[in-house]
Amino acid sequence: MNQQNMPIAVFDSGLGGISVLKELVRLMPRENYIYYGDSKNAPYGTKSIREVCDLTLANIDFLIKKKTAKAIVVACNTATSAAVAILRETHPFMPIIGIEPAIKPAVMEKLHGRILVLATEMTLREQKFSLLVEKYRDCGEIITLAAPGIVELVEKGLTEGPELDHYLEKLLEPYRQQPIDAIVLGCTHFPFVNGGIRKTLGYDVTIYDGSLGTAKEAERQLILRDLANPDGNPGKIEFFNSRGDRKILVLCEKLLHA
Ligand code: DGL
C-alpha cells in the first residue's frame, strides 16, 4: 500500500479521543483512520505514570501491528504527558502528534481572566502541565480541577441525564457564584459534556479544548512529510476497543456523530 493511503492511528484510554477524531475528520476528510480505545483499562487519569506509560506503549504497538499506520495521534492528554517522549524515541520515523490542554488560546483571548482547567489527576500533577502553566502564569488566574467522574460517565455513554447533572453540580458549585471567564477541557472525554457544563454554570463561558490544535498539527506534519492522502473520496474510519464487545463499537459510532 502506498504510504499516503495508509490510515492515521488515533489512540485514547477509551472513548474520549473520538472528540479529537471528529476534528481530524472535519479537517482531513479524505484520510483513512483507525481508532483504538483502551476502555478495558480506563480511566488512565487515576493511575501512576508508570502504568499509563506501559499501557500506552503496549497499545500503540498493538495498533500499528494490526494496521500499518502513517502517523499516530495520541488523542489523550494523560497518555501524552506520560508517554509521548518515549513513543517518539521508540518510533523515530513516525510522525507522533500529542495533545495538551489549550491554555494558550484561552489566556490569550481572555487576558488576565479567570481560567478553569479541567483535566485528569495525572495530567494536572505531571511536569508537562506545570511547565505549561508556568509559561502563562502572568497572563491570567489559572485554576485547576480534576474531574475523573466525567471520564467514567462518558465511558458508560452517559453524556447527559441526571447522573451527569448531579456530578457537575457538585463539581462546579464554587464557580456558579464566582464566575470564570473560560474553561479549558484538558481531557478528551470532556467535550462530550460541554452542554452539561454550560447548563450547570448557568452563564455564558467560553470553552476551549485541544482537539482543533491537535488536528491542525497532524495536518501540518502530513503535508511536511508529503504524506497527505491525495484521493478525492471520503476516507474510511475503523474502530477497535480493548473491551472487544459490539456495544462499545456502537457507542464509538454514536459519539463520532454526536
Ligand atoms: N481521555 C483522557 C485524557 O485526555 C484520559 C481519561 C482517563 O482515562 O482518565 O486525558
Side-chain angles (χ1 to χ4, degrees), residues 12-13 16-17 42-46 75-79 99 120 123 151 186-189:
D12 179 47
S13 64
Y44 278 17
T46 48
C76 175
N77 295 263
T78 311
I99 187 165
T120 68
T123 298
V151 177
C187 169
T188 56
H189 281 72

